[in-house]
Amino acid sequence: MKKTMLLIGLILMHTSVSAKIIVDKSGVDEKDYIYDLHQCTEYSQQVDKKAADGGVVSGAAKGAALGAAAGAISGGSGSDGAKTGAAVGVVGGFLGKNRSKRQNQHNYEQEQALIIKNCMTNRGYVVLN
């Protein structure tokens, strides 16, 4: 009973990452497969998740600098250009950080899937994707 509950728990716990992995299970003992998949998923959890760089503050600073430079070049006051540039930089920094976070999450998931695929292949399984 305990082994059955453990197997069900392992399957449910690791379906998010391992659901992307397709393995040919013909001739494979299900208990060994679940154990190996669990171990490979544990290895994949060691991947470092990268934080998104930049953001609102750095976007505002960059925007203010560019706005001040553009204002000075056009002959106007640099402070008006800096204010406009900072406002645009805040929005750009916010959007850039969100895009960066999504890209980092995608890369993180891809690297985890690759680790699981390599691990399962090294254990003798035929990974189909």
Side-chain angles (χ1 to χ4, degrees):
M1 180 67 176
K2 288 182 181 180
K3 289 183 180 181
T4 305
M5 294 303 289
L6 175 65
L7 292 175
I8 291 171
L10 290 174
I11 291 171
L12 293 176
M13 184 172 63
H14 296 296
T15 53
S16 63
V17 174
S18 61
K20 299 173 187 170
I21 309 301
I22 301 171
V23 175
D24 182 9
K25 295 183 190 177
S26 60
V28 173
D29 182 23
E30 189 68 23
K31 290 178 186 176
D32 290 339
Y33 169 77
I34 292 172
Y35 178 76
D36 289 337
L37 182 61
H38 171 71
Q39 282 190 328
C40 292
T41 304
E42 286 295 316
Y43 290 139
S44 76
Q45 300 300 318
Q46 296 175 17
V47 174
D48 288 333
K49 194 170 191 179
K50 295 176 182 146
D53 293 333
V56 175
V57 175
S58 67
K62 290 174 189 173
L66 289 174
I73 290 171
S74 66
S77 131
S79 64
D80 288 340
K83 289 176 188 174
T84 304
V88 170
V90 166
V91 173
F94 181 73
L95 295 175
K97 185 168 184 172
N98 283 341
R99 182 176 53 246
S100 180
K101 285 172 79 173
R102 284 191 308 271
Q103 184 63 41
N104 287 344
Q105 180 66 29
H106 176 72
N107 292 345
Y108 175 72
E109 290 170 0
Q110 292 289 78
E111 192 170 352
Q112 281 186 317
L114 181 63
I115 289 171
I116 293 172
K117 287 178 186 180
N118 289 340
C119 180
M120 293 297 281
T121 300
N122 290 337
R123 291 173 184 236
Y125 296 94
V126 178
V127 178
L128 301 174
N129 63 340

Short mmCIF file of all heavy atoms in Angstrom, two decimals, residues 46-107:
data_model
loop_
_atom_site.label_atom_id
_atom_site.label_comp_id
_atom_site.label_asym_id
_atom_site.label_seq_id
_atom_site.Cartn_x
_atom_site.Cartn_y
_atom_site.Cartn_z
N GLN A 46 18.24 20.98 -9.90
CA GLN A 46 19.48 21.67 -9.54
C GLN A 46 19.83 22.80 -10.49
O GLN A 46 20.78 23.53 -10.26
CB GLN A 46 20.62 20.66 -9.47
CG GLN A 46 20.44 19.62 -8.39
CD GLN A 46 21.53 18.57 -8.43
OE1 GLN A 46 22.58 18.76 -9.03
NE2 GLN A 46 21.29 17.45 -7.77
N VAL A 47 19.04 22.96 -11.54
CA VAL A 47 19.29 24.04 -12.50
C VAL A 47 19.03 25.37 -11.80
O VAL A 47 18.03 25.53 -11.11
CB VAL A 47 18.36 23.91 -13.73
CG1 VAL A 47 18.50 25.10 -14.65
CG2 VAL A 47 18.63 22.62 -14.46
N ASP A 48 19.94 26.31 -11.99
CA ASP A 48 19.77 27.64 -11.41
C ASP A 48 18.80 28.45 -12.25
O ASP A 48 18.92 28.51 -13.47
CB ASP A 48 21.10 28.40 -11.34
CG ASP A 48 22.03 27.83 -10.27
OD1 ASP A 48 21.51 27.26 -9.28
OD2 ASP A 48 23.24 27.97 -10.42
N LYS A 49 17.85 29.07 -11.57
CA LYS A 49 16.90 29.93 -12.26
C LYS A 49 17.46 31.35 -12.25
O LYS A 49 17.79 31.88 -11.21
CB LYS A 49 15.55 29.88 -11.55
CG LYS A 49 14.43 30.46 -12.32
CD LYS A 49 13.12 30.14 -11.65
CE LYS A 49 11.97 30.47 -12.57
NZ LYS A 49 10.70 30.16 -11.94
N LYS A 50 17.59 31.94 -13.42
CA LYS A 50 18.18 33.27 -13.53
C LYS A 50 17.13 34.33 -13.29
O LYS A 50 16.00 34.22 -13.74
CB LYS A 50 18.79 33.46 -14.91
CG LYS A 50 19.95 32.52 -15.14
CD LYS A 50 20.49 32.65 -16.54
CE LYS A 50 21.60 31.64 -16.72
NZ LYS A 50 21.69 31.10 -18.03
N ALA A 51 17.53 35.38 -12.59
CA ALA A 51 16.64 36.50 -12.35
C ALA A 51 16.65 37.42 -13.57
O ALA A 51 17.64 37.50 -14.29
CB ALA A 51 17.08 37.27 -11.11
N ALA A 52 15.55 38.11 -13.76
CA ALA A 52 15.47 39.07 -14.86
C ALA A 52 16.34 40.28 -14.53
O ALA A 52 16.31 40.80 -13.43
CB ALA A 52 14.03 39.50 -15.08
N ASP A 53 17.13 40.69 -15.50
CA ASP A 53 17.98 41.86 -15.32
C ASP A 53 17.21 43.14 -15.60
O ASP A 53 16.25 43.13 -16.34
CB ASP A 53 19.19 41.80 -16.26
CG ASP A 53 20.12 40.68 -15.90
OD1 ASP A 53 20.15 40.29 -14.73
OD2 ASP A 53 20.82 40.18 -16.81
N GLY A 54 17.70 44.23 -15.03
CA GLY A 54 17.13 45.54 -15.34
C GLY A 54 15.80 45.74 -14.66
O GLY A 54 15.57 45.30 -13.57
N GLY A 55 14.91 46.44 -15.33
CA GLY A 55 13.60 46.67 -14.80
C GLY A 55 13.22 48.13 -14.87
O GLY A 55 13.74 48.89 -15.68
N VAL A 56 12.31 48.52 -14.01
CA VAL A 56 11.73 49.85 -14.05
C VAL A 56 12.76 50.92 -13.74
O VAL A 56 12.87 51.93 -14.45
CB VAL A 56 10.54 49.92 -13.07
CG1 VAL A 56 9.98 51.33 -13.01
CG2 VAL A 56 9.45 48.95 -13.49
N VAL A 57 13.55 50.74 -12.69
CA VAL A 57 14.51 51.77 -12.28
C VAL A 57 15.59 51.95 -13.33
O VAL A 57 15.91 53.08 -13.73
CB VAL A 57 15.12 51.43 -10.90
CG1 VAL A 57 16.19 52.43 -10.53
CG2 VAL A 57 14.03 51.39 -9.84
N SER A 58 16.16 50.85 -13.79
CA SER A 58 17.21 50.99 -14.80
C SER A 58 16.64 51.51 -16.11
O SER A 58 17.29 52.28 -16.82
CB SER A 58 17.94 49.67 -15.02
OG SER A 58 17.09 48.73 -15.61
N GLY A 59 15.40 51.14 -16.43
CA GLY A 59 14.75 51.66 -17.64
C GLY A 59 14.53 53.16 -17.54
O GLY A 59 14.71 53.90 -18.51
N ALA A 60 14.13 53.64 -16.36
CA ALA A 60 13.91 55.07 -16.16
C ALA A 60 15.22 55.83 -16.27
O ALA A 60 15.29 56.91 -16.87
CB ALA A 60 13.26 55.32 -14.80
N ALA A 61 16.28 55.27 -15.69
CA ALA A 61 17.58 55.94 -15.74
C ALA A 61 18.09 56.02 -17.18
O ALA A 61 18.57 57.07 -17.62
CB ALA A 61 18.58 55.20 -14.86
N LYS A 62 17.97 54.92 -17.91
CA LYS A 62 18.41 54.93 -19.30
C LYS A 62 17.56 55.90 -20.13
O LYS A 62 18.08 56.65 -20.97
CB LYS A 62 18.32 53.53 -19.89
CG LYS A 62 19.33 52.56 -19.35
CD LYS A 62 19.08 51.15 -19.89
CE LYS A 62 19.95 50.14 -19.19
NZ LYS A 62 19.60 48.76 -19.58
N GLY A 63 16.25 55.87 -19.89
CA GLY A 63 15.36 56.76 -20.63
C GLY A 63 15.63 58.22 -20.34
O GLY A 63 15.60 59.07 -21.23
N ALA A 64 15.92 58.53 -19.07
CA ALA A 64 16.21 59.91 -18.70
C ALA A 64 17.50 60.38 -19.36
O ALA A 64 17.58 61.51 -19.87
CB ALA A 64 16.33 60.03 -17.18
N ALA A 65 18.50 59.53 -19.39
CA ALA A 65 19.77 59.90 -20.01
C ALA A 65 19.59 60.13 -21.51
O ALA A 65 20.08 61.12 -22.07
CB ALA A 65 20.82 58.82 -19.76
N LEU A 66 18.86 59.22 -22.17
CA LEU A 66 18.63 59.38 -23.60
C LEU A 66 17.76 60.60 -23.90
O LEU A 66 18.01 61.34 -24.86
CB LEU A 66 17.97 58.12 -24.17
CG LEU A 66 18.86 56.89 -24.26
CD1 LEU A 66 18.05 55.67 -24.70
CD2 LEU A 66 20.00 57.12 -25.22
N GLY A 67 16.75 60.83 -23.05
CA GLY A 67 15.88 61.99 -23.24
C GLY A 67 16.62 63.29 -23.06
O GLY A 67 16.42 64.26 -23.80
N ALA A 68 17.50 63.36 -22.06
CA ALA A 68 18.29 64.56 -21.82
C ALA A 68 19.24 64.81 -22.98
O ALA A 68 19.40 65.95 -23.44
CB ALA A 68 19.06 64.43 -20.52
N ALA A 69 19.85 63.74 -23.48
CA ALA A 69 20.77 63.88 -24.61
C ALA A 69 20.01 64.35 -25.85
O ALA A 69 20.47 65.25 -26.57
CB ALA A 69 21.48 62.56 -24.88
N ALA A 70 18.85 63.76 -26.10
CA ALA A 70 18.07 64.16 -27.27
C ALA A 70 17.61 65.61 -27.15
O ALA A 70 17.62 66.36 -28.12
CB ALA A 70 16.87 63.24 -27.44
N GLY A 71 17.21 66.00 -25.94
CA GLY A 71 16.77 67.38 -25.72
C GLY A 71 17.91 68.37 -25.93
O GLY A 71 17.73 69.44 -26.51
N ALA A 72 19.09 68.02 -25.46
CA ALA A 72 20.24 68.90 -25.60
C ALA A 72 20.67 69.02 -27.05
O ALA A 72 21.03 70.10 -27.53
CB ALA A 72 21.40 68.39 -24.74
N ILE A 73 20.61 67.92 -27.77
CA ILE A 73 21.01 67.93 -29.18
C ILE A 73 20.03 68.78 -30.00
O ILE A 73 20.43 69.53 -30.88
CB ILE A 73 21.08 66.49 -29.74
CG1 ILE A 73 22.27 65.76 -29.13
CG2 ILE A 73 21.18 66.48 -31.26
CD1 ILE A 73 22.32 64.29 -29.43
N SER A 74 18.75 68.67 -29.68
CA SER A 74 17.76 69.42 -30.45
C SER A 74 17.71 70.89 -30.06
O SER A 74 16.96 71.66 -30.63
CB SER A 74 16.38 68.80 -30.28
OG SER A 74 15.94 68.94 -28.93
N GLY A 75 18.52 71.29 -29.09
CA GLY A 75 18.60 72.70 -28.71
C GLY A 75 17.67 73.08 -27.59
O GLY A 75 17.67 74.22 -27.14
N GLY A 76 16.89 72.17 -27.10
CA GLY A 76 15.98 72.48 -26.01
C GLY A 76 16.63 72.22 -24.67
O GLY A 76 17.82 71.95 -24.56
N SER A 77 15.83 72.34 -23.66
CA SER A 77 16.34 72.09 -22.32
C SER A 77 16.44 70.59 -22.10
O SER A 77 15.54 69.84 -22.45
CB SER A 77 15.40 72.74 -21.31
OG SER A 77 15.04 71.88 -20.29
N GLY A 78 17.52 70.19 -21.49
CA GLY A 78 17.75 68.76 -21.24
C GLY A 78 16.79 68.20 -20.21
O GLY A 78 16.49 67.02 -20.21
N SER A 79 16.28 69.03 -19.30
CA SER A 79 15.43 68.53 -18.22
C SER A 79 14.07 68.07 -18.75
O SER A 79 13.51 67.10 -18.26
CB SER A 79 15.26 69.57 -17.12
OG SER A 79 14.60 70.70 -17.63
N ASP A 80 13.51 68.77 -19.75
CA ASP A 80 12.23 68.34 -20.31
C ASP A 80 12.40 66.99 -21.03
O ASP A 80 11.56 66.10 -20.91
CB ASP A 80 11.70 69.38 -21.31
CG ASP A 80 11.19 70.64 -20.62
OD1 ASP A 80 10.90 70.57 -19.40
OD2 ASP A 80 11.11 71.68 -21.31
N GLY A 81 13.47 66.87 -21.76
CA GLY A 81 13.75 65.61 -22.45
C GLY A 81 14.01 64.50 -21.46
O GLY A 81 13.60 63.36 -21.68
N ALA A 82 14.67 64.83 -20.35
CA ALA A 82 14.95 63.82 -19.33
C ALA A 82 13.66 63.32 -18.69
O ALA A 82 13.51 62.13 -18.44
CB ALA A 82 15.89 64.38 -18.27
N LYS A 83 12.71 64.23 -18.45
CA LYS A 83 11.42 63.84 -17.85
C LYS A 83 10.66 62.91 -18.78
O LYS A 83 10.14 61.87 -18.37
CB LYS A 83 10.58 65.07 -17.54
CG LYS A 83 11.11 65.90 -16.39
CD LYS A 83 10.27 67.15 -16.21
CE LYS A 83 10.91 68.08 -15.20
NZ LYS A 83 10.21 69.37 -15.10
N THR A 84 10.60 63.29 -20.04
CA THR A 84 9.90 62.46 -21.02
C THR A 84 10.62 61.13 -21.19
O THR A 84 9.98 60.07 -21.23
CB THR A 84 9.84 63.19 -22.38
OG1 THR A 84 9.22 64.46 -22.20
CG2 THR A 84 9.06 62.37 -23.40
N GLY A 85 11.93 61.19 -21.28
CA GLY A 85 12.71 59.95 -21.42
C GLY A 85 12.56 59.03 -20.24
O GLY A 85 12.48 57.81 -20.38
N ALA A 86 12.48 59.61 -19.02
CA ALA A 86 12.31 58.79 -17.82
C ALA A 86 10.96 58.10 -17.83
O ALA A 86 10.84 56.92 -17.48
CB ALA A 86 12.47 59.65 -16.56
N ALA A 87 9.92 58.84 -18.25
CA ALA A 87 8.58 58.24 -18.31
C ALA A 87 8.54 57.10 -19.31
O ALA A 87 8.00 56.03 -19.03
CB ALA A 87 7.55 59.31 -18.67
N VAL A 88 9.13 57.33 -20.47
CA VAL A 88 9.17 56.27 -21.48
C VAL A 88 10.04 55.12 -20.99
O VAL A 88 9.73 53.95 -21.20
CB VAL A 88 9.70 56.84 -22.83
CG1 VAL A 88 9.98 55.72 -23.81
CG2 VAL A 88 8.70 57.82 -23.40
N GLY A 89 11.13 55.45 -20.30
CA GLY A 89 12.02 54.42 -19.78
C GLY A 89 11.37 53.54 -18.73
O GLY A 89 11.64 52.34 -18.65
N VAL A 90 10.49 54.13 -17.90
CA VAL A 90 9.77 53.34 -16.89
C VAL A 90 8.91 52.29 -17.58
O VAL A 90 8.93 51.11 -17.22
CB VAL A 90 8.92 54.25 -15.97
CG1 VAL A 90 7.93 53.44 -15.16
CG2 VAL A 90 9.80 55.06 -15.06
N VAL A 91 8.15 52.73 -18.58
CA VAL A 91 7.28 51.79 -19.30
C VAL A 91 8.12 50.75 -20.04
O VAL A 91 7.85 49.55 -19.97
CB VAL A 91 6.37 52.56 -20.29
CG1 VAL A 91 5.58 51.57 -21.16
CG2 VAL A 91 5.42 53.46 -19.53
N GLY A 92 9.17 51.21 -20.71
CA GLY A 92 10.04 50.28 -21.43
C GLY A 92 10.73 49.31 -20.51
O GLY A 92 10.87 48.11 -20.81
N GLY A 93 11.17 49.79 -19.34
CA GLY A 93 11.83 48.92 -18.37
C GLY A 93 10.88 47.87 -17.82
O GLY A 93 11.25 46.70 -17.65
N PHE A 94 9.64 48.27 -17.58
CA PHE A 94 8.64 47.33 -17.07
C PHE A 94 8.36 46.24 -18.10
O PHE A 94 8.36 45.05 -17.78
CB PHE A 94 7.35 48.08 -16.71
CG PHE A 94 6.28 47.20 -16.17
CD1 PHE A 94 6.38 46.68 -14.89
CD2 PHE A 94 5.18 46.87 -16.94
CE1 PHE A 94 5.38 45.85 -14.38
CE2 PHE A 94 4.18 46.04 -16.44
CZ PHE A 94 4.28 45.54 -15.16
N LEU A 95 8.13 46.65 -19.36
CA LEU A 95 7.86 45.68 -20.41
C LEU A 95 9.07 44.80 -20.68
O LEU A 95 8.94 43.59 -20.90
CB LEU A 95 7.43 46.40 -21.69
CG LEU A 95 6.10 47.16 -21.61
CD1 LEU A 95 5.86 47.92 -22.90
CD2 LEU A 95 4.96 46.23 -21.30
N GLY A 96 10.25 45.39 -20.64
CA GLY A 96 11.48 44.62 -20.87
C GLY A 96 11.71 43.59 -19.79
O GLY A 96 12.15 42.47 -20.07
N LYS A 97 11.42 43.95 -18.55
CA LYS A 97 11.63 43.01 -17.45
C LYS A 97 10.65 41.83 -17.57
O LYS A 97 11.03 40.69 -17.33
CB LYS A 97 11.46 43.71 -16.11
CG LYS A 97 11.78 42.79 -14.94
CD LYS A 97 11.91 43.51 -13.64
CE LYS A 97 12.32 42.52 -12.57
NZ LYS A 97 12.66 43.16 -11.33
N ASN A 98 9.40 42.12 -17.92
CA ASN A 98 8.43 41.04 -18.10
C ASN A 98 8.85 40.10 -19.22
O ASN A 98 8.75 38.89 -19.09
CB ASN A 98 7.04 41.61 -18.39
CG ASN A 98 6.36 42.13 -17.15
OD1 ASN A 98 6.73 41.77 -16.04
ND2 ASN A 98 5.38 42.99 -17.33
N ARG A 99 9.32 40.65 -20.32
CA ARG A 99 9.78 39.84 -21.44
C ARG A 99 10.98 38.99 -21.01
O ARG A 99 11.08 37.81 -21.33
CB ARG A 99 10.14 40.72 -22.63
CG ARG A 99 10.58 39.95 -23.85
CD ARG A 99 10.85 40.84 -25.06
NE ARG A 99 11.77 41.92 -24.77
CZ ARG A 99 11.45 43.22 -24.77
NH1 ARG A 99 10.23 43.61 -25.05
NH2 ARG A 99 12.35 44.14 -24.49
N SER A 100 11.87 39.60 -20.26
CA SER A 100 13.06 38.90 -19.78
C SER A 100 12.68 37.77 -18.83
O SER A 100 13.25 36.68 -18.88
CB SER A 100 14.01 39.89 -19.10
OG SER A 100 15.15 39.24 -18.63
N LYS A 101 11.71 38.02 -17.96
CA LYS A 101 11.25 36.98 -17.03
C LYS A 101 10.65 35.80 -17.77
O LYS A 101 10.91 34.65 -17.44
CB LYS A 101 10.24 37.56 -16.03
CG LYS A 101 10.86 38.42 -14.96
CD LYS A 101 9.82 39.12 -14.13
CE LYS A 101 9.20 38.21 -13.11
NZ LYS A 101 8.30 38.92 -12.19
N ARG A 102 9.85 36.08 -18.78
CA ARG A 102 9.24 35.00 -19.57
C ARG A 102 10.31 34.20 -20.30
O ARG A 102 10.26 32.98 -20.34
CB ARG A 102 8.24 35.57 -20.57
CG ARG A 102 6.92 35.99 -19.96
CD ARG A 102 5.87 36.28 -21.03
NE ARG A 102 6.32 37.20 -22.05
CZ ARG A 102 6.20 38.52 -21.99
NH1 ARG A 102 5.65 39.08 -20.93
NH2 ARG A 102 6.64 39.28 -22.99
N GLN A 103 11.29 34.88 -20.86
CA GLN A 103 12.38 34.20 -21.58
C GLN A 103 13.21 33.35 -20.62
O GLN A 103 13.57 32.21 -20.95
CB GLN A 103 13.27 35.22 -22.30
CG GLN A 103 14.36 34.57 -23.13
CD GLN A 103 13.81 33.73 -24.26
OE1 GLN A 103 12.85 34.10 -24.93
NE2 GLN A 103 14.41 32.58 -24.49
N ASN A 104 13.50 33.89 -19.44
CA ASN A 104 14.26 33.13 -18.45
C ASN A 104 13.50 31.89 -18.00
O ASN A 104 14.09 30.82 -17.82
CB ASN A 104 14.61 34.00 -17.25
CG ASN A 104 15.69 35.00 -17.55
OD1 ASN A 104 16.40 34.89 -18.55
ND2 ASN A 104 15.84 36.00 -16.70
N GLN A 105 12.18 32.02 -17.80
CA GLN A 105 11.36 30.87 -17.40
C GLN A 105 11.37 29.81 -18.49
O GLN A 105 11.51 28.62 -18.20
CB GLN A 105 9.93 31.32 -17.10
CG GLN A 105 9.00 30.20 -16.68
CD GLN A 105 9.39 29.58 -15.35
OE1 GLN A 105 9.96 30.23 -14.48
NE2 GLN A 105 9.08 28.31 -15.18
N HIS A 106 11.25 30.23 -19.73
CA HIS A 106 11.28 29.29 -20.86
C HIS A 106 12.62 28.56 -20.93
O HIS A 106 12.67 27.33 -21.08
CB HIS A 106 11.01 30.04 -22.17
CG HIS A 106 11.11 29.19 -23.39
ND1 HIS A 106 10.17 28.24 -23.71
CD2 HIS A 106 12.06 29.12 -24.34
CE1 HIS A 106 10.53 27.63 -24.81
NE2 HIS A 106 11.69 28.14 -25.24
N ASN A 107 13.72 29.31 -20.80
CA ASN A 107 15.05 28.70 -20.83
C ASN A 107 15.24 27.73 -19.67
O ASN A 107 15.85 26.67 -19.83
CB ASN A 107 16.13 29.78 -20.78
CG ASN A 107 16.18 30.61 -22.04
OD1 ASN A 107 15.62 30.24 -23.07
ND2 ASN A 107 16.83 31.76 -21.96
#
